[in-house]
Amino acid sequence: MTAKTPRRRLLAAAMALALLPAAALAQSAGEPQPKLPTEPLTIETADGPLTFEVEMATTPMQQSRGLMFREEVPPLTGMLFVHSPPRPISMWMRNTPTSLDMVFINEDGVITGIAERTTPFSEAVISSPGPMAGVLEILGGEAERLGIAPGTRVDHPVFGGN
């Protein structure tokens, strides 16, 4: 046995530990997941303010899971993916049985784009129109129904100046 063998074993063990969160996610696929902590988020539409109760996805593990396996997303609810510092975002609908609207929000709390009525279970990549501080996922069709559009302001503590 050479000195490299124990290092290789240690490296292999470290890699296996690093993959545990992904393995846990894979094992829990399809199982109902507890909801994340919620906070109010207000969108200032032309017809007046709308307040949503949103789950806060702030960690990489929470964001990788998102709304996967959720059979329903009630009106005026959703999930806010927080990115600090802002960065370009790429998402997909793998394992997501419900159509969603993905609302892209810059660091000033302004909606800069919306991917409307995403296709359930699709692995097509949905990209933000630039660096984002947040992505709000809501029920597919809600953005149009409620008058949420690019240029609309979002009020939540994660967005500067709000």
Side-chain angles (χ1 to χ4, degrees), residues 36-39 54-59 62 78-80 82 156 158:
L36 299 174
T38 62
E39 295 182 9
V54 297
E55 294 179 58
M56 299 298 296
T58 57
T59 69
Q62 292 167 341
M79 184 174 285
L80 179 63
V82 178
H156 187 275
V158 302

Side-chain angles (χ1 to χ4, degrees), residues 79-156:
M79 184 174 285
L80 179 63
F81 295 71
V82 178
H83 299 283
S84 182
R87 64 179 179 80
I89 308 298
S90 293
M91 305 175 88
W92 60 12
M93 294 290 293
R94 177 187 285 174
N95 299 319
T96 308
T98 304
S99 178
L100 302 173
D101 288 346
M102 294 181 184
V103 180
F104 297 101
I105 308 163
N106 72 17
E107 65 186 325
D108 295 322
V110 176
I111 296 172
T112 60
I114 302 172
E116 294 187 68
R117 294 180 176 91
T118 57
T119 303
F121 300 109
S122 173
E123 292 189 13
V125 175
I126 301 165
S127 298
S128 65
M132 296 295 119
V135 180
L136 174 63
E137 291 185 340
I138 59 178
L139 181 63
E142 286 286 88
E144 180 180 18
R145 185 179 75 77
L146 298 172
I148 299 168
T152 306
R153 296 200 58 78
V154 176
D155 183 22
H156 187 275

